[in-house]
Structure formats: C-alpha cells, structure tokens
C-alpha cells in the first residue's frame, strides 16, 4: 500500500514516532500483485532507484513528498526475506548529476537483545554503556554505527551529525515502546563522526542533545558528541589492588590537569602524552602513592574545574582523545602510582545540550526545584529515586573503573546528596516519605554504587567527600554503612588549619583544635585532605595562612605537614602545596614552578626545602609500617602528651600493631607549635617504646636541608632513662626545635 499524504508529511517533517513502520522493506501489493514496498528518505535528492548488489535496477521510486525527500518503490514478485537475502541498495541522484549508492538504514533489524532490554527495563543493567550510546558495529557485513538513546517521553528522536548534514529528516530512530529507548543503525558512519540527538518533545518543540552515554565529545565551546570505539576492559593489576588496601600507605597528590603545567607557550593545555611523560614521574619522585585527578569527564566550562559534567562517560577533549588517556593511565601505573578520578554524581549543569529536561520532562533531575535545584552551584540534582538515573550513574562509575583500569573514585559532594535540606532554609525543602531530612533514595543509590564497585571492580576503592557527622560512611553496607572505603576528614582539616592560622601566642587557648580529631579518628577510614578547596576563592595559599614573618610561616608549614603525615589517616595534598606556592591557586595559569628555580629565587630556597620535606615525609610514611599500617585502627596510636596547652607541645606514638605484640614497630612524634626551642624536654615513653633503649631523629622539620635553623638532636643517641615523665616510668631527654615536628625511631 502506498503512503498516504499524512504519513508522508510526518516523515518529511521528522514528526513520525514509528519510522520503521513505514521506511525500509515491507511486504504488500500493488494492483493485485504481491511484492515489497521500499521507502526511503533522501531530502534534496531528485530521484531514488532500488538496485541490487551489482547495481542493476530493481525498481524506480516515486516521490511521495518531494520537498521532504520521501520516496517509495515497489519490487514485484519477491518477499521481504528474499529481497534482504539477495541484498539491495538505494541509488540516489542529486542536482548537477551527483550520484550516490547507499545502504538503507531501515532494512536492518533491532540490535537490542532481549536480555539487554530486560535489564535496562528493570534498571539492573550493570553496563548500560554497552547498549546505549554510539557503537561502531558490523551488521550483516555492513560497517556503521548503532545509536541508542533513552528518551521515554519524546514524541520522536532522530540522529543528526556530520554524515547527514545535521538534518533530522534523514535518520529518524526506531522506538522501543515500553522501554523508552530509541535505536538506529546507520551504515557508513565511522569513529570520529560528530553527532547529536534531535528530540521532538511533547509540546511539539525540538531539542538537540548531546549523547548522555557518549565516549567522546568535541572540544568546548562546541558541544557535539563524537563516535568513539569502546576499548576493552582493563583489569586493575594485583599490585595496584594491594596498594589500595587500608593497611597500605596512601599519599595522594591532587591535580587539576589544566593548571598543573601548561604548554611551552604557557597558554594551552598539555595533551595526554605530555602529561604521561611529566606528571607520573614527578609525583613518583616525590614519593606519592596515588594521583587524584580533579574531574576529567567532559564539561563545558573551564571555570567549573570539571565539577559541572555533561559527559559522564567521556574523557575531556581538552587533553586529547581516549587513546591518549589510556596511555596516561598506563604511564601512571608503570610509575607505581594509583589513579583516582574525581567523580560527580550529585548534580549536573543546566546547559541546553546536556541532561536538563532531556526528553522535555524532568527525566534525569527531580521535577520540583525544592528537590532538584542546587542554588549553591546553579545546577540540577539527579533524581536518585528513578531507576534509569541510578542505572546511568552506577554504570558511569563502573565504566571508569572497569574500562580504564582506574584505582578508585573520589565521590564529590556526598553531604549534599545525603540531606534533603542541604543548604536550604525551613520551607525550602521536601521531607522524605518518613518525614525526615535524609534523602533515602540517595542513600540507597550510594550503597548500591559501593556494592557494585566491590563486586565488579575488585581492588578499586571509593572515597567520599562527606563533611558531616553522618555515621558509617566507610562502614560496609551489610553493617548498615554507606560502603565507601575511605572518607575525607573535613573536621581535621578545618580544625587544624584554624589552629595553625593563629599566632603561636594564642594557640594555648585553642589546643583542642589540634587534638580533638583523635576523639573520632577511628570512627571511619579517614583521608586527611588539604585539597584545592582550601587554596581558592579568597582563602589564599597554605603558606599564606601561616602567621608571622617569612621564617615563621615556612617553619609553621613544615611542622604542620609533618603533623599531618604522622597523624592517623591517609594523606591528600593539592598540587603546588608541596612547594609552598605563595599565591592562591588560579585554574587559568600553571603553578609557579619558577619558585623552585635557584637562578630566579636566589637566597630563597624555602620552597625547595618544603618540596624536599614532602619527599622525605612520603619516604618515611611509606617505609615505616608504624606510620601507615594502622592508619584506620586505634591500635596504631597512643597519646603521650595531649594536654600541654601552655607550651603548645603534643607527643604521641604510632605503632604497626598492638603495643603488646613484640613484632609491632613504633615511632615517636613530638610537635612544638611555638617559636621557642625547648632544651632538655623530657618525653615519657610507653612500655613498648621504653623497651628500645636508644632513640634517634628520623626526621626534623627544622633541618637546614628543609630551610630550617638546624636545632634538634641530629646525630645524637637519645638514651632511655629511669626517670618518670608524662605518667610513664621511663623517658628520654631531647631538644625540641622551634615551630617544628620530630619523628623519632629506635636507634
């Protein structure tokens, strides 16, 4: 049966919701003769002929909508199966005698398997990215790309791109009723092609959207998705999995790739290969165990630092393509570094090409702004209660870990996910089904996330940026926790930085800010973070926070770093802080590497001294089990002097195991946070430490090597004496340098 005028018009204007019902081969009859109707779309074409694989004409098509390029032909005497088995092509004639012979996209059946359909429908597909998105395929011997997008409330969807002059009339997609997905295989499209989806919305308007599951995208400010082949999974090497264990040392170097270093001209970003050559070697030489990259998923605005993501499956084009990123990952692991990715499932930007009202409805976000809009960041909040959204986010997490072989994900803004009243006044939020402030859907999502990571990405870890006292963030889900491996210790960071910012003369009144963290230090598996958030938005650099003259500021910072490296918990330091960059971080320019150049900073070697200290702290931390094996367990820590407020001195012991275990190693740590040297300071020793008759300095932050005054106990054996101190029967006497931290080990 020939198309009627209404059907032809709907096809011509890309308004038909079920194009496969009309296009391609369909059995029928004409004038009482059985055969196959073949209908095609070719806007701008003057004619269309159905030809066999040899190019011989089978039937001339008639235009049924000239302006829209809708043609139909009738091939008599054949069944659809016979025609498909023999093969056919569409021969197109355009003005100026331009001719093309193309495959008919509408002769191919659906490439969605029943199992995929079932898992997508119930929201339990662990790897939805293998189905949705753009995938190079060869179907029936024909190479092309299978496109699939989830848009259940769209009236129709078309693929637009380089390959069809961005014309939605040319490639309308197959609808999958009940599933909400749209699918189309387009022959001849290759990797590297740019594309989007054009959706006709319920109100008749249209929206052009980037692919939520795209594996690549254009460089901003362009916004199209890019076809890219899906690489093979990369299993995390066994050595890396062991290095992520909570009893292993973890010293993380946090990096914003766009401003770590710039190109030789100082303006452009380094590509993945340049980063692979420079960054892993630098971090490894300083002794860090892991790199943490601020978000590298595709994002439109540099000033968001990557935290407003539009491509949850696409490494940013700013540094090159996915193959380059794979080489960068390999370079990190070859250098013995774990790679952690900052991952953002809490919110997304409102950009028109992104997820906002994707199919004309609040599909990815909560519909009510009281649930779905972040006023702090002007972003939208994912609807964690929606099956498709949870599938999308959990799939994204597993994709980065499984496909790229990453060591872990640092999950951003967890606190904002857990509470419905986060940053909202009374009346500006909607209680949960039980009347409470907790976001029960987000809690369920986070638990599901961590269970999937644990089961399907063994050895990989998740770290929560969670700033409240929510219990059990790093407790297993079967014990009632959220299931993260680690939690950022924001309380330690805020308290200790506030303490260090005070003039030493006032510190005696704020001693608890230094010691309170040990009250809860083992409630979670903590990471101690000095992150990018502490050196931006007017907060100044870490060295700028320190009080006093130049000498005191550097001495304070060195003492603080050693306190951090010896405090229970894994470590994280933002780039530039390792050499005490003096200006606030600016994402638009590279770090002030010139501060490390002796020719440019003659007589000011303090920056090189701080860098040397970080190198040595990492070496001591990694090499001494007492400083990392029990980072997350109370057996690894004991106070010696916690209450010496007037002198601002603290002292403690770190152990690799219980004190009663003779195989347990221990080190002593003493911090003097005043500019007064203390000679003959008597330090009481616990029994296991007193059993080691002689002690010596392992590290002194006042060493001249680090830019200090060289006050201390270098080269001296500190003998244990039968003299009481700090409630202990035995002690050692030592010199405490001013504004310094000592690490002591058995001689």
């Amino acid at each position: 049966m020939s198309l009627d005028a209404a059907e032809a018009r709907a096809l011509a204007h890309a308004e038909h919701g079920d194009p496969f019902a009309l296009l391609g081969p369909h059995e029928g009859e004409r004038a009482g003769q059985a055969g196959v109707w073949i209908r095609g779309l070719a806007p701008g074409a003057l004619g269309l002929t159905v030809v066999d694989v040899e190019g011989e004409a089978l039937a001339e098509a008639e235009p049924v909508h000239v302006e829209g390029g809708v043609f139909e032909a009738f091939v008599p005497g054949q069944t659809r199966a016979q025609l498909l088995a023999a093969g056919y092509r569409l021969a197109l004639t355009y003005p100026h005698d331009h001719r093309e012979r193309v495959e008919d996209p509408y002769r191919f059946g659906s490439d969605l398997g029943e199992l995929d359909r079932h898992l997508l429908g119930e929201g339990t597909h662990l790897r939805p990215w293998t189905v949705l998105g753009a995938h190079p395929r060869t179907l029936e011997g024909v190479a092309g790309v299978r496109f699939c997008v989830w848009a259940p409330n769209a009236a129709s969807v078309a693929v637009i791109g380089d390959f069809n002059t961005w014309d939605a009339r040319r490639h309308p997609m197959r609808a999958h009723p009940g599933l909400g997905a749209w699918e189309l295989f387009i022959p001849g499209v290759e990797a590297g092609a740019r594309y989007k989806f054009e959706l006709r919305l319920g109100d008749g308007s249209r929206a052009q959207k980037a692919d939520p599951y795209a594996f690549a995208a254009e460089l901003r400010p362009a916004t199209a998705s890019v076809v890219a082949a899906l690489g093979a999974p990369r299993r995390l090497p066994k050595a890396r999995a062991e290095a992520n264990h909570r009893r292993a040392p973890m010293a993380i170097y946090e990096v914003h790739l766009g401003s770590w270093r710039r190109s030789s001209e100082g303006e452009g970003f380094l590509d993945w290969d340049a980063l692979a050559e420079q960054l892993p070697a630098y971090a490894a030489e300083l002794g860090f165990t892991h790199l943490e990259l601020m978000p590298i998923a595709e994002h439109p605005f540099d000033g968001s630092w990557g935290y407003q993501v539009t491509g949850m499956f696409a490494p940013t084009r700013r540094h090159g393509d996915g193959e380059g990123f794979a080489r960068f990952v390999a370079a990190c692991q070859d250098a013995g570094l774990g790679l952690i990715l900052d991952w953002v499932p809490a919110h997304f930007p409102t950009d028109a090409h992104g997820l906002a009202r994707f199919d004309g409805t609040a599909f990815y976000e909560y519909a009510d702004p009281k649930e779905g809009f972040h006023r702090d960041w002007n972003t939208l909040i994912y609807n964690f209660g929606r099956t498709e959204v949870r599938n999308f986010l959990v799939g994204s997490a597993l994709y980065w870990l499984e496909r790229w072989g990453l060591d872990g994900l640092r999950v951003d803004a967890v606190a904002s996910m857990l509470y419905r009243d986060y940053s909202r006044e009374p009346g500006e939020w909607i209680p949960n089904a039980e009347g409470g402030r907790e976001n029960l859907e987000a809690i369920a999502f986070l638990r599901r996330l961590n269970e999937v990571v644990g089961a399907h990405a063994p050895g990989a870890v998740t770290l929560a940026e969670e700033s409240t006292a929510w219990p059990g963030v790093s407790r297993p889900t079967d014990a009632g926790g959220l299931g993260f491996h680690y939690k950022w210790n924001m309380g330690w960071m805020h308290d200790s930085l506030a303490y260090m910012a005070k003039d030493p003369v006032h510190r005696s009144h704020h001693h608890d800010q230094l010691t309170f963290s040990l009250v809860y230090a083992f409630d979670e598996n903590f990471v101690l973070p000095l992150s990018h958030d502490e050196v931006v938005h007017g907060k100044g650099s870490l060295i700028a926070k320190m009080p006093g003259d130049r000498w005191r500021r550097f001495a304070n910072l060195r003492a603080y770093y050693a306190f951090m490296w010896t405090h229970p918990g894994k470590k994280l330091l933002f780039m530039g802080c390792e050499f005490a960059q003096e200006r606030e971080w600016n994402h638009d320019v590279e770090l002030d590497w010139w501060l490390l150049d002796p020719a440019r900073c003659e007589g000011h070697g303090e920056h090189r001294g701080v860098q040397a200290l970080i190198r040595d702290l990492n070496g001591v931390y990694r090499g001494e089990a007492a400083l990392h094996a029990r980072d997350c367990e109370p057996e690894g820590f004991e106070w010696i002097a916690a209450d010496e407020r007037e002198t601002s001195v603290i002292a403690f012991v770190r152990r690799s195991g219980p004190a009663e275990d003779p195989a347990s190693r221990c080190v002593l740590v003493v911090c003097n946070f005043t500019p007064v040297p203390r000679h003959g300071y008597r330090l009481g020793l616990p029994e296991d430490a007193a059993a080691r008759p002689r002690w010596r300095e392992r590290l002194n932050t006042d060493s001249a090597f680090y830019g200090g005054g060289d006050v201390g106990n270098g080269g001296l054996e500190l003998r244990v004496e039968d003299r009481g101190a700090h409630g202990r029967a035995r002690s050692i006497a030592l010199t405490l340098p001013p504004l310094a931290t000592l690490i002591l080990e058995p001689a």
Side-chain angles (χ1 to χ4, degrees), residues 279-288 335 337 611 614-616 618 622:
L279 179 54
Y282 176 78
E285 197 277 330
L286 287 184
F288 288 98
L337 290 167
Q611 187 186 55
I614 293 298
R615 181 186 295 110
D616 287 353
N618 278 329
R622 296 175 64 170

Side-chain angles (χ1 to χ4, degrees), residues 39-220:
R39 302 184 186 94
L41 290 173
L46 300 177
L48 183 153
T49 305
V50 179
V51 300
D52 63 19
V53 294
E54 302 298 329
E56 295 296 321
L58 298 175
E60 290 292 335
E62 297 292 331
V64 293
H65 194 292
V66 175
E67 180 185 351
V70 182
F71 294 85
E72 66 179 5
F74 185 74
V75 181
Q78 294 202 38
T79 66
R80 183 177 187 275
Q82 289 172 332
L83 187 63
L84 290 175
Y88 74 90
R89 306 288 188 273
L90 304 179
L92 304 173
T93 303
Y94 289 94
H96 309 294
D97 202 31
H98 175 69
R99 299 174 185 272
E100 291 182 2
R101 188 185 302 175
V102 299
E103 297 282 355
D104 181 3
Y106 298 94
R107 76 175 176 87
F108 296 91
S110 173
D111 194 34
L112 274 183
E114 283 303 314
L115 180 59
D116 284 330
R117 290 171 55 89
H118 172 74
L119 295 176
L120 286 172
E122 69 175 13
T124 58
H125 204 304
L126 292 176
R127 298 168 181 86
W129 72 84
T130 62
V131 181
L132 297 160
H135 295 269
R137 288 275 197 276
T138 298
L139 299 184
E140 301 175 21
V142 178
V145 173
R146 197 281 307 276
F147 296 89
C148 191
V149 64
W150 214 330
N153 300 300
S156 62
V157 183
V159 183
I160 57 176
D162 293 331
F163 40 85
N164 63 13
T165 67
W166 300 90
D167 187 344
R169 298 174 299 171
R170 296 176 182 272
H171 288 115
M173 303 180 78
R174 170 191 281 113
H176 286 276
L179 183 61
W182 302 78
E183 177 201 15
L184 183 65
F185 174 73
I186 305 181
V189 178
E190 299 178 341
R194 300 180 302 152
Y195 71 99
K196 283 186 177 181
F197 298 112
E198 182 166 301
L199 293 81
R200 186 167 60 91
L201 309 181
D203 62 1
S205 64
R206 296 175 185 268
Q208 294 186 356
K209 295 287 189 176
D211 183 358
Y213 283 88
F215 302 132
E218 286 186 289
L219 179 64
R220 51 81 179 106

Side-chain angles (χ1 to χ4, degrees), residues 670-678 697 700-703 710-713 734-742:
V670 191
C671 305
N672 177 14
F673 289 112
T674 65
V676 179
R678 304 188 184 280
E697 281 184 0
N700 176 356
T701 64
D702 193 51
S703 166
D710 238 5
V711 177
N713 311 272
L734 65 157
T735 294
L736 302 186
L739 295 174
T741 294
L742 301 179

